[in-house]
Amino acid sequence: MTWQNVYLRFARRLSRSKLQASNPCTPLLRRCWQSLPSPNQSAFLAVDLETSSLSTADGEILSAGWVALDNQQILLHTAQHHLIAAENSVGQSAAIHHLRDCDLLAGKHTQTLLEALLEAAQGRVLLFHNASLDMAFLNQLCQNLCGTDLLLPYEDTLVNEKQKLTHQGKVIAQGDLTLAECRNRYHLPYYAGHNALNDALATAELYAAQQSHARSNT
């Protein structure tokens, strides 16, 4: 489901949200809601999170990266990468994202992360590869600090690719929808995965390639 299809649903839910007015993130969140892009705009913020688990029940955000893109042009000067001070040990997840407990000692507080993200997201649609995972953690963070889900429109390059392959009648095998494999189909260069900023940039490039491919086939 693309962000245009859920645009009105987000707008309806905003008016019913009960916010924690005392938290500094709340006015930033309201500002994001007030600056929602119109459906014909093409302003995105590609975001990736590295977490200690695939579940919000026992996982934490360990790092976050993002970069903006306008009309499929990636704005490298907007790129940001943040390490987050974890409350618990990263445990065995370090084997995936290569972040150790000692790497996160000087990390930012989650509130500082959300403030920075909301500043960057104003007037933009969020962009993820596998949005359900990242949005689950962002919604939990926003609930903890602001008393509501993030309620920002987003698009998902994984869903876009799945829809394209299904439309082409192709059988989708295990691993076909990973970020690396999706990029490979568009002949994009290989990037080492599981670094939040690298993956945000990789997602932005993949989205631009998907849009270019879609235009060339219309």
Side-chain angles (χ1 to χ4, degrees):
M1 184 184 298
T2 63
W3 72 272
Q4 291 93 338
N5 294 332
V6 299
Y7 187 83
L8 291 178
R9 179 170 63 86
F10 278 109
R12 286 194 295 267
R13 292 179 65 185
L14 300 186
S15 63
R16 301 197 297 269
S17 299
K18 297 180 180 179
L19 300 179
Q20 296 179 11
S22 61
N23 192 282
C25 292
T26 298
L28 294 172
L29 181 59
R30 284 193 181 278
R31 203 177 305 161
C32 280
W33 291 348
Q34 292 165 356
S35 65
L36 288 175
S38 62
N40 61 352
Q41 286 181 295
S42 184
F44 292 85
L45 186 72
V47 181
D48 184 76
L49 307 178
E50 294 300 320
T51 63
S52 59
S53 169
L54 297 179
S55 170
T56 58
D58 60 356
E60 299 178 70
I61 299 173
L62 304 178
S63 66
W66 57 77
V67 66
L69 59 160
D70 291 340
N71 298 311
Q72 287 79 65
Q73 297 297 313
I74 298 171
L75 309 179
L76 289 177
H77 68 277
T78 68
Q80 295 188 38
H81 186 234
H82 301 271
L83 297 181
I84 310 304
E87 294 184 4
N88 302 297
S89 173
V90 301
Q92 295 300 314
S93 68
I96 298 173
H97 46 64
H98 305 297
L99 293 172
R100 303 165 298 172
D101 294 335
C102 60
D103 297 324
L104 304 176
L105 291 176
K108 293 180 172 63
H109 189 275
T110 52
Q111 179 172 304
T112 303
L113 169 67
L114 185 57
E115 289 175 352
L117 177 62
L118 292 175
E119 288 279 7
Q122 290 180 39
R124 297 186 176 277
V125 175
L126 301 181
L127 179 67
F128 303 95
H129 190 80
N130 192 11
S132 60
L133 176 62
D134 294 282
M135 282 299 297
F137 278 90
L138 290 177
N139 281 332
Q140 182 184 65
L141 175 59
C142 205
Q143 280 282 357
N144 292 342
L145 296 174
C146 300
T148 180
D149 286 351
L150 194 60
L151 295 178
L152 294 179
Y154 61 87
E155 191 154 344
D156 190 338
T157 52
L158 184 152
V159 172
N160 291 349
E161 193 69 9
K162 183 177 181 180
Q163 290 175 341
K164 186 197 81 171
L165 295 176
T166 301
H167 180 73
Q168 294 174 343
K170 295 183 178 179
V171 176
I172 300 175
Q174 185 176 1
D176 281 351
L177 295 176
T178 63
L179 180 55
E181 189 57 34
C182 288
R183 286 175 56 84
N184 187 51
R185 278 191 288 274
Y186 295 91
H187 307 292
L188 293 170
Y190 171 78
Y191 291 164
H194 298 294
N195 172 281
L197 181 54
N198 280 357
D199 284 353
L201 287 165
T203 299
E205 291 179 354
L206 174 59
Y207 180 76
Q210 287 176 334
Q211 295 304 300
S212 178
H213 182 269
R215 286 195 303 271
S216 67
N217 285 275
T218 56

